[in-house]
Amino acid sequence: MKNLIQVLQKKSTELNLFSAGDRLKLADKHIPDALAVLDFWEPGARVADIGTGGGLPGLALACARPDLDFTLVDSTAKKINAIEEMAAELELKNVHGLVGRFEELAHEKKWREQFDTVNARAVAELPVLLEYVAGFLKIGGKFYAWKADYEPELKASEKAQEVLKLGFVRAHKYSLPGGEARAILEFKKMATLSREYPRGNGTPKAKPLL
Ligand code: SAM
C-alpha cells in the first residue's frame, strides 16, 4: 500500500482531497479502515463505491482486489478526475470514475440494478444512504456501510429498509489500529425497487424515509 499512500498524499496536497489532519492519518487509520472487509466480495464482483470523495475506500480496495471491478462515484468532477489520474499512476485497470448525483444516476438504465456490491464510507446517515444505494444494486446484491456508533442510525433506518427492499443482515465489528471501535453494516437487496426511488435531487436528504 506504500505507493497508494504516496499517491493519495501527493494528490491530496495539490487538490485538498483530504484535510491536512486526515492526510497524516492515511496509513494508520483510513487505509486500514478501507481494507477492513477484504473478504466480503465474491470474485469478479462489480462494485460501486458511492461518495468516494478522495478515493476511499474504493482505491484501496481496488489495489488489494485486482479481480474486482470498481466504479467510484461522486458528484464532484474534480475529485473523480483526480481519482482517474491516481488510478493511472498506480496502473490500476479495475477502476472507473463516474461523475453525477446518485439520485439521477440510479435511474439511468446503464447503472440501475447493475452492481453486485455497493459500499459507502462517511457519505450520509443510513435512512438517506439506503435511498442513494438501493437503485444501483442487483437483486441479491450487498451494501456495506462503514459506521462508528451505528445503533441509533440503524434503528432510524427501519422504514427505509422496508420501503427500499434492503434488509439488514449483520454488523461486522472491528477496531482501528488506535483501538477505535467501528462496524461495517451489511444489507441485502431483497426485491426490485419501485421506480419512485430514489426521489429527486436533494429529496432523500431533505425528507428522509423515517
Ligand atoms: N468516502 C469518502 C471517505 O471515506 O473519505 C468520504 C467522502 S465525503 C465525506 C462524501 C462525498 O459524497 C463527497 O465527496 C460528496 O461530493 C459526495 N456526495 C454526497 N452526496 C452526494 C450525492 N447525492 N450524489 C453524489 N455524490 C454525493
Side-chain angles (χ1 to χ4, degrees):
M1 286 294 147
K2 197 171 170 215
N3 278 348
L4 172 64
I5 294 166
Q6 286 165 346
V7 168
L8 275 172
Q9 277 175 336
K10 183 166 152 267
K11 193 59 93 182
S12 180
T13 308
E14 285 166 26
L15 298 174
N16 205 22
L17 297 175
F18 296 92
S19 70
D22 280 334
R23 281 203 286 279
L24 295 174
K25 293 183 197 154
L26 282 168
D28 295 336
K29 180 176 178 188
H30 297 298
I31 307 271
D33 194 27
L35 297 178
V37 281
L38 270 186
D39 300 336
F40 286 176
W41 291 291
E42 299 294 322
R46 194 172 179 205
V47 183
D49 178 29
I50 71 155
T52 191
L56 291 177
L59 271 182
L61 290 165
C63 288
R65 291 293 303 263
D67 58 315
L68 308 182
D69 187 78
F70 288 85
T71 300
L72 275 53
V73 191
D74 205 284
S75 56
T76 307
K78 179 185 95 166
K79 293 178 180 173
I80 294 298
N81 291 341
I83 283 165
E84 287 174 337
E85 286 169 17
M86 290 190 281
E89 215 171 313
L90 292 162
E91 297 180 17
L92 293 173
K93 306 276 180 253
N94 59 338
V95 172
H96 318 279
L98 176 60
V99 179
R101 288 196 62 103
F102 315 134
E103 299 95 316
E104 293 173 358
L105 294 171
H107 283 286
E108 291 179 19
K109 199 171 169 209
K110 190 169 178 197
W111 309 114
R112 193 162 180 96
E113 300 196 330
Q114 295 299 313
F115 291 94
D116 303 293
T117 305
V118 175
N119 49 246
R121 192 184 85 136
V123 178
E125 296 225 333
L126 278 175
V128 180
L129 192 55
L130 295 182
E131 187 164 351
Y132 288 159
V133 167
F136 290 112
L137 272 178
K138 290 179 185 171
I139 296 169
K142 298 283 184 66
F143 169 50
Y144 297 103
W146 273 243
K147 291 286 172 187
D149 177 22
Y150 66 86
E151 279 172 10
E153 269 186 60
L154 185 60
K155 180 88 188 135
S157 74
E158 283 173 0
K159 179 172 175 192
Q161 289 178 43
E162 193 185 321
V163 171
L164 301 165
K165 317 290 183 201
L166 281 171
F168 174 63
V169 180
R170 66 177 79 91
H172 301 266
K173 296 182 186 178
Y174 60 100
S175 299
L176 292 176
E180 200 179 316
R182 311 283 292 185
I184 292 176
L185 307 184
E186 178 179 333
F187 296 84
K188 183 172 180 184
K189 173 106 170 246
M190 310 304 286
T192 199
L193 179 66
S194 159
R195 281 271 155 204
E196 278 175 72
Y197 300 104
R199 292 166 294 163
N201 277 346
T203 307
K205 193 170 173 189
K207 294 183 184 168
L209 294 166
L210 294 173

